[in-house]
Amino acid sequence: MTKKVDLRVQRTKKAILETFFQLLEEKHFSNISVIDICEKALINRGTFYTHFQDKNQLLEKIVYDMMMNLDDEVDRVHGDSNMLVYYNDIFDVSLAFVRDNRERLYTIITKADANLVFNQVHTIIKENIVKKVGRLPAKTEVPLELLAEFFAGGFIQVLKWWIMSDCIHPAEEIKKELFGIVRNTIATYYYV
């Protein structure tokens, strides 16, 4: 049996999220208060604190939800077959997501706590790499965690660069180069 979702709760959360992004477009994250969010969303502080501990948790939730939606989309498109096909699909979905959400992502990077955002994204990507690539038999003694840290950091920096440079390079070009790096690395260190 599916748990019934209260529409009032959904509307309140949606109002909080939309208000947060409106405020983030106007001013820096550090200058936004919970009171600002509540006044603009037309809710009281108690209602805000029913859903979030503070504005940092709100930002963390936004980033987490974006990443989980992206992960769900990759799973929907790909399923669980060949590792190289999986990473090809991840690049397709991720680059399309960045392209489609560039303005919102740019705002988060430039006006929110970028370290908090990138640390959270890094952790999610690293865990995904360990989970997926860890299933493959290794050819070398290089720790999987080392490769996961390296690729998660590199992928985040490439996406950040692409967003900040107004996505001037075509997604297909970025995907081709990233996929080549991943394909060669996986083939070097793992039996595919």
Side-chain angles (χ1 to χ4, degrees), residues 34-100:
V34 170
I35 293 171
D36 294 335
I37 296 168
C38 293
E39 286 176 357
K40 192 163 182 118
L42 302 175
I43 60 169
N44 63 45
R45 287 184 356 180
T47 300
F48 178 89
Y49 289 118
T50 298
H51 301 287
F52 304 100
Q53 292 175 353
D54 55 24
K55 68 180 187 176
N56 291 321
Q57 187 189 39
L58 172 60
L59 179 60
E60 288 174 13
K61 173 80 170 128
I62 288 168
V63 172
Y64 179 81
D65 286 350
M66 290 173 96
M67 291 299 295
M68 291 301 103
N69 289 339
L70 188 59
D71 197 44
D72 290 346
E73 178 65 13
V74 169
D75 286 343
R76 187 188 69 71
V77 168
H78 171 72
D80 197 24
S81 61
N82 179 284
M83 188 62 57
L84 294 176
V85 173
Y86 172 78
Y87 280 105
N88 184 62
D89 293 345
I90 262 195
F91 292 141
D92 278 341
V93 171
S94 297
L95 293 170
F97 176 82
V98 169
R99 187 181 54 241
D100 295 345

Side-chain angles (χ1 to χ4, degrees), residues 4-168:
K4 190 172 182 177
V5 179
D6 187 337
L7 294 178
R8 291 174 299 167
V9 171
Q10 282 184 325
R11 280 192 297 271
T12 301
K13 282 186 175 180
K14 184 178 180 184
I16 291 169
L17 295 173
E18 288 175 3
T19 299
F20 176 74
F21 276 111
Q22 289 170 4
L23 289 168
L24 200 55
E25 288 172 2
E26 297 169 12
K27 52 188 169 181
H28 194 275
F29 178 75
S30 61
N31 296 328
I32 298 172
S33 69
V34 170
I35 293 171
D36 294 335
I37 296 168
C38 293
E39 286 176 357
K40 192 163 182 118
L42 302 175
I43 60 169
N44 63 45
R45 287 184 356 180
T47 300
F48 178 89
Y49 289 118
T50 298
H51 301 287
F52 304 100
Q53 292 175 353
D54 55 24
K55 68 180 187 176
N56 291 321
Q57 187 189 39
L58 172 60
L59 179 60
E60 288 174 13
K61 173 80 170 128
I62 288 168
V63 172
Y64 179 81
D65 286 350
M66 290 173 96
M67 291 299 295
M68 291 301 103
N69 289 339
L70 188 59
D71 197 44
D72 290 346
E73 178 65 13
V74 169
D75 286 343
R76 187 188 69 71
V77 168
H78 171 72
D80 197 24
S81 61
N82 179 284
M83 188 62 57
L84 294 176
V85 173
Y86 172 78
Y87 280 105
N88 184 62
D89 293 345
I90 262 195
F91 292 141
D92 278 341
V93 171
S94 297
L95 293 170
F97 176 82
V98 169
R99 187 181 54 241
D100 295 345
N101 295 282
R102 185 197 167 275
E103 288 181 32
R104 185 160 274 185
L105 293 168
Y106 182 86
T107 300
I108 290 171
I109 292 169
T110 58
K111 294 196 176 178
D113 184 349
N115 285 333
L116 179 142
V117 171
F118 287 118
N119 287 342
Q120 187 173 5
V121 172
H122 183 273
T123 298
I124 293 167
I125 292 173
K126 181 181 74 174
E127 288 171 357
N128 183 283
I129 292 170
V130 168
K131 181 173 76 176
K132 296 289 186 181
V133 177
R135 297 177 187 165
L136 299 174
K139 292 180 180 178
T140 70
E141 297 295 319
V142 175
L144 175 58
E145 292 77 17
L146 177 93
L147 290 173
E149 286 285 344
F150 179 78
F151 279 102
F155 188 61
I156 288 169
Q157 286 304 115
V158 167
L159 289 179
K160 180 180 174 185
W161 163 77
W162 196 50
I163 292 165
M164 300 304 286
S165 66
D166 203 19
C167 305
I168 58 173

Side-chain angles (χ1 to χ4, degrees), residues 168-184:
I168 58 173
H169 298 278
E172 277 303 312
E173 178 184 327
I174 302 294
K175 176 192 159 194
K176 177 184 169 199
E177 297 306 327
L178 287 175
F179 184 70
I181 293 167
V182 167
R183 181 186 61 239
N184 292 337

